[in-house]
Amino acid sequence: MNAITQLPPEWHNWIQENLARGCAPQSLIDDMVRNHFDPVFARAAVNGVMSGPFVAATPTQTKPAASGYLYETPRLHAGNLIRTSDRDVRVVTRVHRPMIAVLDGVLSAEECDELIRRSADKMRRSTTVDPLTGKHEVIADRSSEGTFFTLNADPFIARLDRRIAEVMNWPEENGEGLQILHYGIGGEYKPHFDYFPPEDPGSQVQMTIGGQRVSTMVMYLNEVEEGGTTIFPEVGLEVVPKQGSAVYFEYTNSQNQLDKLTLHGGSPVTRGEKWIVTKWMRQRRYGELAA
């Protein structure tokens, strides 16, 4: 049996897209097996696509949303379980428009505690990108403090960067460094977009080093006594923090369209405190200047 001729077109496209993103062939085979393909057939199909002539894959598309945004095959792996090189992550909830997923077990309790420990004495008032200048400025809408870890800063951070990239199914080198944020009582981040609005002059400054942001994963480092939820007001979704869990969302497609339904924010902490770590992914290697 020729696996390529028997392979459904949407899976052929899926393999090509993910190989182009730098995904390991074995991870694609594992995904296909989890989706009920025979292991021998899955390996033959992936090897066949790799060895055959490259034809640019057209992302599987659905009808444009009312906003005009075209929803394509999600980058996030299909199925209920995402296997990474060192940890299994469970998908708890999926929303398709916009593409949002709640994930459980992204980080262990020990890893969460270690990130807090490493960050506690380095925190500074959080900034956001000024829409006019592209510089990072302190604003009233973001009442948190934070710090960064550069990509692969040390073995511990490198292990997390690798795992997170595998979960987000995007090249590790396209990721910005991990950002740690802490919110005390009353701390919040009013609804905003993570992508850089192209109409803002400052966005062009930010996009010279890696292109547009394409996806976000917010990971919760502690249990919040009350409040501190992640809200998506356009779709009425509210995610309650749970240590080690995460919320993931995508907002830039292959046509550079931006999904405005991913407007999101952090509701005020009303009791206790909130610690999170955020990973943003870019279109290209982060730090790579535009051609």
Side-chain angles (χ1 to χ4, degrees):
M1 179 179 66
N2 186 322
I4 294 299
T5 60
Q6 298 293 322
L7 186 66
E10 61 271 21
W11 280 95
H12 189 285
N13 284 350
W14 178 83
I15 293 171
Q16 280 197 336
E17 289 172 22
N18 284 283
L19 288 172
R21 291 173 182 154
C23 296
Q26 186 60 50
S27 71
L28 305 187
I29 294 168
D30 293 342
D31 271 352
M32 292 181 71
V33 171
R34 285 196 292 272
N35 280 273
H36 310 297
F37 281 95
D38 176 79
V40 175
F41 177 90
R43 184 172 298 277
V46 171
N47 289 339
V49 173
M50 290 175 64
S51 61
F54 180 78
V55 178
T58 301
T60 305
Q61 301 173 343
T62 60
K63 293 181 180 179
S67 64
Y69 185 84
L70 188 63
Y71 288 94
E72 301 170 340
T73 302
R75 300 180 188 95
L76 193 74
H77 295 289
N80 298 341
L81 197 67
I82 300 173
R83 296 188 184 277
T84 74
S85 54
D86 67 347
R87 190 173 181 85
D88 289 350
V89 174
R90 183 160 296 279
V91 180
V92 177
T93 301
R94 289 183 190 266
V95 178
H96 297 287
R97 296 191 177 196
M99 197 287 122
I100 303 172
V102 179
L103 310 172
D104 202 12
V106 177
L107 302 172
S108 69
E110 293 76 17
E111 289 168 337
C112 292
D113 292 343
E114 179 65 9
L115 282 171
I116 293 174
R117 186 191 69 78
R118 290 179 175 219
S119 305
D121 62 352
K122 301 194 304 179
M123 305 302 282
R124 299 290 183 271
R125 178 65 187 271
S126 298
T127 61
T128 192
V129 176
D130 185 279
L132 296 178
T133 66
K135 295 180 180 179
H136 290 270
E137 304 287 352
V138 171
I139 62 169
D141 285 355
R142 191 180 198 185
S143 50
S144 63
E145 53 181 3
T147 190
F148 284 87
F149 291 98
T150 57
L151 193 67
N152 298 323
D154 58 46
F156 172 71
I157 297 298
R159 184 174 78 242
L160 300 186
D161 280 328
R162 178 182 180 185
R163 182 193 308 156
I164 291 165
E166 290 173 345
V167 172
M168 298 177 78
N169 197 22
W170 202 247
E172 183 180 338
E173 61 269 22
N174 290 27
E176 298 181 32
L178 295 174
Q179 182 193 55
I180 313 294
L181 293 175
H182 172 253
Y183 296 84
I185 297 290
E188 66 176 320
Y189 194 179
K190 293 184 178 177
H192 60 282
F193 298 110
D194 276 1
Y195 58 74
F196 303 113
E199 65 273 13
D200 293 344
S203 293
Q204 302 309 313
V205 176
Q206 287 293 322
M207 289 192 291
T208 59
I209 49 171
Q212 182 62 271
R213 286 176 176 166
V214 299
S215 58
T216 296
M217 189 154 70
V218 177
M219 294 150 277
Y220 304 103
L221 300 181
N222 74 313
E223 306 285 340
V224 182
E225 291 185 54
E226 191 172 320
T229 56
T230 302
I231 55 173
F232 293 84
E234 296 294 331
V235 291
L237 177 65
E238 187 171 10
V239 180
V240 177
K242 176 185 176 184
Q243 187 180 52
S245 70
V247 59
Y248 166 88
F249 48 104
E250 302 174 3
Y251 37 78
T252 304
N253 64 18
S254 65
Q255 300 185 25
N256 289 322
Q257 293 177 319
L258 303 171
D259 191 353
K260 295 182 178 180
L261 291 181
T262 57
L263 182 75
H264 65 285
S267 69
V269 174
T270 54
R271 192 167 64 195
E273 60 181 346
K274 172 184 174 182
W275 287 87
I276 62 172
V277 54
T278 300
K279 170 69 79 171
W280 293 297
M281 287 292 186
R282 298 289 191 105
Q283 291 171 316
R284 307 188 305 274
R285 179 189 292 270
Y286 183 58
E288 177 183 295
L289 295 178

Short mmCIF file of all heavy atoms in Angstrom, two decimals, residues 62-119:
data_model
loop_
_atom_site.label_atom_id
_atom_site.label_comp_id
_atom_site.label_asym_id
_atom_site.label_seq_id
_atom_site.Cartn_x
_atom_site.Cartn_y
_atom_site.Cartn_z
N THR A 62 -11.61 27.17 7.15
CA THR A 62 -13.05 27.18 7.26
C THR A 62 -13.54 28.53 6.75
O THR A 62 -12.74 29.36 6.33
CB THR A 62 -13.48 27.00 8.73
OG1 THR A 62 -12.94 28.08 9.50
CG2 THR A 62 -12.96 25.68 9.29
N LYS A 63 -14.82 28.73 6.77
CA LYS A 63 -15.34 30.01 6.30
C LYS A 63 -14.88 31.13 7.22
O LYS A 63 -14.74 30.94 8.42
CB LYS A 63 -16.88 29.97 6.27
CG LYS A 63 -17.44 29.01 5.22
CD LYS A 63 -18.95 29.04 5.23
CE LYS A 63 -19.52 28.08 4.19
NZ LYS A 63 -21.00 28.08 4.20
N PRO A 64 -14.63 32.31 6.65
CA PRO A 64 -14.22 33.43 7.49
C PRO A 64 -15.28 33.74 8.53
O PRO A 64 -16.48 33.60 8.29
CB PRO A 64 -14.06 34.59 6.50
CG PRO A 64 -13.88 33.93 5.17
CD PRO A 64 -14.69 32.67 5.23
N ALA A 65 -14.83 34.16 9.71
CA ALA A 65 -15.77 34.61 10.74
C ALA A 65 -16.35 35.95 10.32
O ALA A 65 -15.92 36.56 9.34
CB ALA A 65 -15.03 34.74 12.07
N ALA A 66 -17.34 36.40 11.10
CA ALA A 66 -17.99 37.68 10.78
C ALA A 66 -16.97 38.80 10.74
O ALA A 66 -17.12 39.78 10.01
CB ALA A 66 -19.07 37.97 11.81
N SER A 67 -15.91 38.67 11.54
CA SER A 67 -14.88 39.71 11.58
C SER A 67 -13.98 39.68 10.35
O SER A 67 -13.17 40.57 10.15
CB SER A 67 -14.02 39.51 12.84
OG SER A 67 -13.34 38.27 12.76
N GLY A 68 -14.11 38.62 9.52
CA GLY A 68 -13.24 38.48 8.36
C GLY A 68 -12.04 37.60 8.63
O GLY A 68 -11.29 37.27 7.71
N TYR A 69 -11.81 37.20 9.88
CA TYR A 69 -10.66 36.36 10.22
C TYR A 69 -10.90 34.94 9.73
O TYR A 69 -11.97 34.36 9.95
CB TYR A 69 -10.45 36.36 11.73
CG TYR A 69 -9.21 35.61 12.18
CD1 TYR A 69 -7.97 36.24 12.18
CD2 TYR A 69 -9.29 34.29 12.59
CE1 TYR A 69 -6.82 35.57 12.59
CE2 TYR A 69 -8.15 33.61 13.00
CZ TYR A 69 -6.93 34.25 12.99
OH TYR A 69 -5.80 33.58 13.40
N LEU A 70 -9.91 34.37 9.05
CA LEU A 70 -10.04 33.03 8.49
C LEU A 70 -9.42 32.03 9.46
O LEU A 70 -8.21 32.06 9.72
CB LEU A 70 -9.34 32.96 7.13
CG LEU A 70 -9.54 31.69 6.33
CD1 LEU A 70 -11.02 31.53 5.96
CD2 LEU A 70 -8.69 31.73 5.07
N TYR A 71 -10.25 31.13 9.99
CA TYR A 71 -9.76 30.13 10.94
C TYR A 71 -9.20 28.95 10.18
O TYR A 71 -9.87 28.34 9.35
CB TYR A 71 -10.88 29.69 11.88
CG TYR A 71 -11.24 30.77 12.87
CD1 TYR A 71 -12.29 31.66 12.61
CD2 TYR A 71 -10.51 30.93 14.03
CE1 TYR A 71 -12.59 32.67 13.51
CE2 TYR A 71 -10.82 31.92 14.94
CZ TYR A 71 -11.84 32.78 14.67
OH TYR A 71 -12.14 33.79 15.57
N GLU A 72 -7.94 28.64 10.47
CA GLU A 72 -7.24 27.54 9.83
C GLU A 72 -7.06 26.40 10.83
O GLU A 72 -7.51 26.48 11.97
CB GLU A 72 -5.87 28.03 9.34
CG GLU A 72 -5.99 29.19 8.36
CD GLU A 72 -4.65 29.86 8.04
OE1 GLU A 72 -3.70 29.70 8.85
OE2 GLU A 72 -4.57 30.52 7.01
N THR A 73 -6.43 25.31 10.39
CA THR A 73 -6.15 24.22 11.30
C THR A 73 -5.33 24.74 12.48
O THR A 73 -4.28 25.36 12.26
CB THR A 73 -5.35 23.11 10.59
OG1 THR A 73 -6.09 22.66 9.46
CG2 THR A 73 -5.08 21.94 11.54
N PRO A 74 -5.77 24.54 13.71
CA PRO A 74 -5.02 25.07 14.86
C PRO A 74 -3.59 24.53 14.91
O PRO A 74 -3.32 23.41 14.49
CB PRO A 74 -5.83 24.57 16.06
CG PRO A 74 -7.20 24.33 15.53
CD PRO A 74 -7.00 23.85 14.13
N ARG A 75 -2.69 25.35 15.41
CA ARG A 75 -1.32 24.87 15.62
C ARG A 75 -1.26 23.87 16.76
O ARG A 75 -0.45 22.94 16.74
CB ARG A 75 -0.40 26.05 15.93
CG ARG A 75 -0.35 27.09 14.82
CD ARG A 75 0.58 28.25 15.16
NE ARG A 75 0.44 29.30 14.17
CZ ARG A 75 -0.35 30.34 14.30
NH1 ARG A 75 -1.06 30.49 15.39
NH2 ARG A 75 -0.44 31.25 13.35
N LEU A 76 -2.10 24.07 17.76
CA LEU A 76 -2.12 23.16 18.90
C LEU A 76 -2.49 21.76 18.44
O LEU A 76 -3.38 21.57 17.62
CB LEU A 76 -3.14 23.65 19.94
CG LEU A 76 -3.05 23.00 21.31
CD1 LEU A 76 -1.85 23.53 22.07
CD2 LEU A 76 -4.33 23.25 22.11
N HIS A 77 -1.79 20.76 18.98
CA HIS A 77 -2.03 19.37 18.59
C HIS A 77 -3.49 18.97 18.84
O HIS A 77 -4.13 19.43 19.79
CB HIS A 77 -1.13 18.44 19.40
CG HIS A 77 0.32 18.61 19.11
ND1 HIS A 77 0.90 18.22 17.93
CD2 HIS A 77 1.32 19.14 19.85
CE1 HIS A 77 2.20 18.49 17.95
NE2 HIS A 77 2.48 19.06 19.11
N ALA A 78 -3.99 18.10 17.98
CA ALA A 78 -5.32 17.53 18.17
C ALA A 78 -5.27 16.50 19.31
O ALA A 78 -4.20 16.07 19.73
CB ALA A 78 -5.79 16.87 16.88
N GLY A 79 -6.44 16.11 19.79
CA GLY A 79 -6.50 15.08 20.82
C GLY A 79 -6.61 15.64 22.22
O GLY A 79 -6.53 16.84 22.45
N ASN A 80 -6.77 14.72 23.17
CA ASN A 80 -6.96 15.09 24.57
C ASN A 80 -5.66 15.18 25.35
O ASN A 80 -5.64 15.70 26.47
CB ASN A 80 -7.89 14.09 25.26
CG ASN A 80 -9.27 14.05 24.65
OD1 ASN A 80 -9.66 14.99 23.96
ND2 ASN A 80 -10.00 12.97 24.88
N LEU A 81 -4.58 14.64 24.78
CA LEU A 81 -3.31 14.59 25.47
C LEU A 81 -2.20 15.08 24.54
O LEU A 81 -2.14 14.69 23.37
CB LEU A 81 -3.01 13.16 25.92
CG LEU A 81 -1.93 12.98 27.00
CD1 LEU A 81 -2.41 13.57 28.33
CD2 LEU A 81 -1.60 11.49 27.16
N ILE A 82 -1.35 15.95 25.05
CA ILE A 82 -0.19 16.43 24.30
C ILE A 82 1.06 15.86 24.96
O ILE A 82 1.34 16.15 26.12
CB ILE A 82 -0.13 17.97 24.30
CG1 ILE A 82 -1.39 18.55 23.65
CG2 ILE A 82 1.12 18.46 23.57
CD1 ILE A 82 -1.49 20.06 23.75
N ARG A 83 1.78 15.04 24.22
CA ARG A 83 3.00 14.42 24.76
C ARG A 83 4.21 15.28 24.39
O ARG A 83 4.44 15.56 23.22
CB ARG A 83 3.18 13.01 24.21
CG ARG A 83 2.07 12.06 24.63
CD ARG A 83 2.39 10.62 24.23
NE ARG A 83 1.30 9.72 24.53
CZ ARG A 83 1.08 9.18 25.73
NH1 ARG A 83 1.91 9.46 26.72
NH2 ARG A 83 0.06 8.37 25.94
N THR A 84 4.96 15.71 25.38
CA THR A 84 6.19 16.45 25.13
C THR A 84 7.38 15.56 25.45
O THR A 84 7.21 14.40 25.83
CB THR A 84 6.25 17.73 25.99
OG1 THR A 84 6.53 17.38 27.36
CG2 THR A 84 4.94 18.51 25.92
N SER A 85 8.57 16.09 25.31
CA SER A 85 9.77 15.29 25.54
C SER A 85 9.92 14.84 26.98
O SER A 85 10.62 13.86 27.26
CB SER A 85 11.02 16.08 25.12
OG SER A 85 11.05 17.33 25.77
N ASP A 86 9.26 15.53 27.92
CA ASP A 86 9.44 15.16 29.32
C ASP A 86 8.17 15.18 30.16
O ASP A 86 8.23 14.95 31.38
CB ASP A 86 10.49 16.05 29.98
CG ASP A 86 10.04 17.52 30.10
OD1 ASP A 86 9.04 17.88 29.45
OD2 ASP A 86 10.71 18.28 30.83
N ARG A 87 7.01 15.44 29.53
CA ARG A 87 5.80 15.56 30.34
C ARG A 87 4.56 15.45 29.46
O ARG A 87 4.57 15.92 28.32
CB ARG A 87 5.81 16.91 31.08
CG ARG A 87 4.72 17.06 32.14
CD ARG A 87 4.94 18.37 32.91
NE ARG A 87 3.95 18.55 33.93
CZ ARG A 87 4.04 18.01 35.15
NH1 ARG A 87 5.09 17.30 35.48
NH2 ARG A 87 3.09 18.23 36.04
N ASP A 88 3.52 14.82 29.96
CA ASP A 88 2.24 14.77 29.26
C ASP A 88 1.35 15.90 29.77
O ASP A 88 1.25 16.13 30.97
CB ASP A 88 1.53 13.44 29.50
CG ASP A 88 2.21 12.28 28.77
OD1 ASP A 88 3.10 12.56 27.95
OD2 ASP A 88 1.86 11.12 29.05
N VAL A 89 0.72 16.60 28.83
CA VAL A 89 -0.15 17.73 29.15
C VAL A 89 -1.56 17.39 28.68
O VAL A 89 -1.75 16.95 27.54
CB VAL A 89 0.36 19.02 28.46
CG1 VAL A 89 -0.62 20.17 28.66
CG2 VAL A 89 1.75 19.38 28.98
N ARG A 90 -2.53 17.61 29.54
CA ARG A 90 -3.91 17.25 29.20
C ARG A 90 -4.70 18.48 28.76
O ARG A 90 -4.60 19.55 29.37
CB ARG A 90 -4.61 16.59 30.40
CG ARG A 90 -6.04 16.12 30.10
CD ARG A 90 -6.50 15.09 31.10
NE ARG A 90 -5.71 13.88 31.04
CZ ARG A 90 -5.89 12.91 30.13
NH1 ARG A 90 -6.83 13.04 29.20
NH2 ARG A 90 -5.15 11.84 30.16
N VAL A 91 -5.47 18.31 27.68
CA VAL A 91 -6.35 19.37 27.19
C VAL A 91 -7.67 19.27 27.93
O VAL A 91 -8.35 18.24 27.87
CB VAL A 91 -6.58 19.26 25.67
CG1 VAL A 91 -7.49 20.39 25.19
CG2 VAL A 91 -5.24 19.30 24.93
N VAL A 92 -8.04 20.33 28.64
CA VAL A 92 -9.26 20.32 29.46
C VAL A 92 -10.44 20.89 28.67
O VAL A 92 -11.55 20.37 28.71
CB VAL A 92 -9.03 21.13 30.75
CG1 VAL A 92 -10.31 21.19 31.58
CG2 VAL A 92 -7.90 20.53 31.56
N THR A 93 -10.19 22.00 27.96
CA THR A 93 -11.26 22.70 27.25
C THR A 93 -10.71 23.24 25.94
O THR A 93 -9.56 23.70 25.89
CB THR A 93 -11.79 23.89 28.09
OG1 THR A 93 -12.28 23.39 29.34
CG2 THR A 93 -12.91 24.63 27.37
N ARG A 94 -11.51 23.19 24.88
CA ARG A 94 -11.16 23.83 23.61
C ARG A 94 -12.30 24.76 23.17
O ARG A 94 -13.47 24.40 23.26
CB ARG A 94 -10.95 22.80 22.50
CG ARG A 94 -9.69 21.96 22.61
CD ARG A 94 -9.57 21.04 21.41
NE ARG A 94 -8.52 20.06 21.57
CZ ARG A 94 -7.27 20.21 21.13
NH1 ARG A 94 -6.95 21.33 20.49
NH2 ARG A 94 -6.37 19.26 21.32
N VAL A 95 -11.92 25.92 22.69
CA VAL A 95 -12.85 26.85 22.03
C VAL A 95 -12.30 27.02 20.62
O VAL A 95 -11.09 27.18 20.43
CB VAL A 95 -12.91 28.21 22.75
CG1 VAL A 95 -13.83 29.17 22.01
CG2 VAL A 95 -13.36 28.03 24.19
N HIS A 96 -13.16 26.95 19.61
CA HIS A 96 -12.68 26.96 18.22
C HIS A 96 -12.66 28.34 17.59
O HIS A 96 -11.85 28.59 16.69
CB HIS A 96 -13.53 26.00 17.38
CG HIS A 96 -13.40 24.57 17.84
ND1 HIS A 96 -12.27 23.82 17.63
CD2 HIS A 96 -14.25 23.77 18.53
CE1 HIS A 96 -12.42 22.61 18.15
NE2 HIS A 96 -13.62 22.56 18.71
N ARG A 97 -13.53 29.25 18.02
CA ARG A 97 -13.55 30.60 17.46
C ARG A 97 -13.75 31.60 18.58
O ARG A 97 -14.88 31.79 19.02
CB ARG A 97 -14.67 30.74 16.42
CG ARG A 97 -14.47 29.86 15.19
CD ARG A 97 -15.46 30.24 14.12
NE ARG A 97 -15.25 29.45 12.92
CZ ARG A 97 -15.74 29.76 11.73
NH1 ARG A 97 -16.47 30.85 11.59
NH2 ARG A 97 -15.51 29.00 10.69
N PRO A 98 -12.69 32.19 19.08
CA PRO A 98 -11.29 32.07 18.68
C PRO A 98 -10.69 30.76 19.16
O PRO A 98 -11.30 30.04 19.95
CB PRO A 98 -10.63 33.27 19.37
CG PRO A 98 -11.44 33.43 20.61
CD PRO A 98 -12.87 33.14 20.21
N MET A 99 -9.46 30.46 18.72
CA MET A 99 -8.80 29.22 19.11
C MET A 99 -8.20 29.41 20.51
O MET A 99 -7.21 30.09 20.70
CB MET A 99 -7.70 28.89 18.10
CG MET A 99 -7.20 27.43 18.14
SD MET A 99 -6.20 27.02 19.56
CE MET A 99 -7.18 25.68 20.21
N ILE A 100 -8.86 28.81 21.51
CA ILE A 100 -8.43 28.89 22.90
C ILE A 100 -8.45 27.47 23.47
O ILE A 100 -9.35 26.69 23.15
CB ILE A 100 -9.36 29.78 23.75
CG1 ILE A 100 -9.47 31.18 23.16
CG2 ILE A 100 -8.89 29.85 25.20
CD1 ILE A 100 -10.54 32.05 23.84
N ALA A 101 -7.48 27.13 24.29
CA ALA A 101 -7.48 25.84 24.97
C ALA A 101 -7.01 26.03 26.40
O ALA A 101 -6.07 26.79 26.67
CB ALA A 101 -6.59 24.83 24.25
N VAL A 102 -7.68 25.34 27.32
CA VAL A 102 -7.24 25.28 28.71
C VAL A 102 -6.49 23.96 28.88
O VAL A 102 -7.00 22.90 28.50
CB VAL A 102 -8.43 25.38 29.69
CG1 VAL A 102 -7.93 25.29 31.13
CG2 VAL A 102 -9.18 26.68 29.47
N LEU A 103 -5.29 24.01 29.44
CA LEU A 103 -4.40 22.86 29.54
C LEU A 103 -4.07 22.58 30.99
O LEU A 103 -3.89 23.52 31.78
CB LEU A 103 -3.11 23.11 28.75
CG LEU A 103 -3.28 23.61 27.31
CD1 LEU A 103 -1.94 24.01 26.73
CD2 LEU A 103 -3.95 22.55 26.45
N ASP A 104 -3.93 21.32 31.34
CA ASP A 104 -3.63 20.94 32.72
C ASP A 104 -2.28 20.22 32.76
O ASP A 104 -1.96 19.42 31.87
CB ASP A 104 -4.73 20.03 33.26
CG ASP A 104 -4.77 20.02 34.78
OD1 ASP A 104 -4.12 20.88 35.40
OD2 ASP A 104 -5.45 19.14 35.34
N GLY A 105 -1.49 20.52 33.78
CA GLY A 105 -0.23 19.82 33.96
C GLY A 105 0.91 20.29 33.08
O GLY A 105 1.83 19.52 32.80
N VAL A 106 0.87 21.55 32.66
CA VAL A 106 1.98 22.08 31.85
C VAL A 106 3.25 22.18 32.69
O VAL A 106 4.35 21.87 32.22
CB VAL A 106 1.61 23.46 31.27
CG1 VAL A 106 2.78 24.05 30.49
CG2 VAL A 106 0.38 23.36 30.37
N LEU A 107 3.10 22.59 33.95
CA LEU A 107 4.22 22.70 34.88
C LEU A 107 3.91 21.89 36.13
O LEU A 107 2.74 21.75 36.53
CB LEU A 107 4.45 24.16 35.27
CG LEU A 107 4.74 25.17 34.15
CD1 LEU A 107 4.74 26.59 34.72
CD2 LEU A 107 6.06 24.85 33.47
N SER A 108 4.95 21.37 36.75
CA SER A 108 4.77 20.68 38.04
C SER A 108 4.70 21.72 39.16
O SER A 108 5.12 22.87 38.98
CB SER A 108 5.93 19.72 38.30
OG SER A 108 7.12 20.45 38.55
N ALA A 109 4.20 21.30 40.30
CA ALA A 109 4.15 22.22 41.45
C ALA A 109 5.55 22.69 41.84
O ALA A 109 5.75 23.86 42.18
CB ALA A 109 3.47 21.52 42.63
N GLU A 110 6.52 21.79 41.75
CA GLU A 110 7.90 22.14 42.10
C GLU A 110 8.46 23.18 41.13
O GLU A 110 9.17 24.12 41.54
CB GLU A 110 8.77 20.89 42.10
CG GLU A 110 8.45 19.88 43.18
CD GLU A 110 7.19 19.06 42.90
OE1 GLU A 110 6.75 19.03 41.72
OE2 GLU A 110 6.67 18.46 43.86
N GLU A 111 8.14 23.04 39.83
CA GLU A 111 8.61 24.01 38.84
C GLU A 111 7.96 25.38 39.07
O GLU A 111 8.62 26.41 38.94
CB GLU A 111 8.31 23.50 37.43
CG GLU A 111 9.20 22.33 37.03
CD GLU A 111 8.73 21.62 35.77
OE1 GLU A 111 7.53 21.72 35.43
OE2 GLU A 111 9.55 20.95 35.13
N CYS A 112 6.69 25.37 39.41
CA CYS A 112 6.00 26.63 39.70
C CYS A 112 6.66 27.34 40.88
O CYS A 112 6.94 28.55 40.84
CB CYS A 112 4.52 26.38 40.02
SG CYS A 112 3.54 25.80 38.62
N ASP A 113 6.91 26.59 41.95
CA ASP A 113 7.52 27.17 43.14
C ASP A 113 8.92 27.70 42.83
O ASP A 113 9.33 28.75 43.34
CB ASP A 113 7.59 26.13 44.26
CG ASP A 113 6.21 25.75 44.80
OD1 ASP A 113 5.25 26.51 44.54
OD2 ASP A 113 6.11 24.70 45.46
N GLU A 114 9.67 26.97 42.00
CA GLU A 114 11.02 27.38 41.66
C GLU A 114 11.01 28.67 40.83
O GLU A 114 11.86 29.56 41.05
CB GLU A 114 11.74 26.27 40.90
CG GLU A 114 13.16 26.59 40.45
CD GLU A 114 14.15 26.80 41.59
OE1 GLU A 114 13.79 26.55 42.76
OE2 GLU A 114 15.28 27.23 41.31
N LEU A 115 10.08 28.82 39.91
CA LEU A 115 9.99 30.06 39.14
C LEU A 115 9.67 31.25 40.04
O LEU A 115 10.23 32.33 39.88
CB LEU A 115 8.92 29.92 38.04
CG LEU A 115 9.34 29.12 36.80
CD1 LEU A 115 8.13 28.87 35.89
CD2 LEU A 115 10.43 29.86 36.02
N ILE A 116 8.77 31.05 41.00
CA ILE A 116 8.45 32.12 41.94
C ILE A 116 9.69 32.47 42.78
O ILE A 116 10.02 33.64 42.97
CB ILE A 116 7.27 31.73 42.85
CG1 ILE A 116 5.98 31.62 42.03
CG2 ILE A 116 7.09 32.75 43.97
CD1 ILE A 116 4.78 31.09 42.80
N ARG A 117 10.37 31.44 43.27
CA ARG A 117 11.55 31.67 44.09
C ARG A 117 12.61 32.46 43.34
O ARG A 117 13.22 33.39 43.88
CB ARG A 117 12.13 30.32 44.55
CG ARG A 117 13.28 30.45 45.55
CD ARG A 117 14.00 29.13 45.76
NE ARG A 117 14.74 28.72 44.56
CZ ARG A 117 15.92 29.23 44.21
NH1 ARG A 117 16.49 30.17 44.95
NH2 ARG A 117 16.54 28.80 43.13
N ARG A 118 12.84 32.10 42.07
CA ARG A 118 13.87 32.76 41.28
C ARG A 118 13.49 34.20 40.92
O ARG A 118 14.36 35.01 40.61
CB ARG A 118 14.12 31.99 39.99
CG ARG A 118 14.81 30.66 40.18
CD ARG A 118 14.99 29.97 38.84
NE ARG A 118 15.75 28.73 38.97
CZ ARG A 118 16.66 28.33 38.09
NH1 ARG A 118 16.95 29.08 37.05
NH2 ARG A 118 17.30 27.19 38.25
N SER A 119 12.20 34.50 40.93
CA SER A 119 11.73 35.80 40.45
C SER A 119 11.49 36.81 41.57
O SER A 119 11.50 38.02 41.32
CB SER A 119 10.41 35.61 39.67
OG SER A 119 10.56 34.69 38.62
#
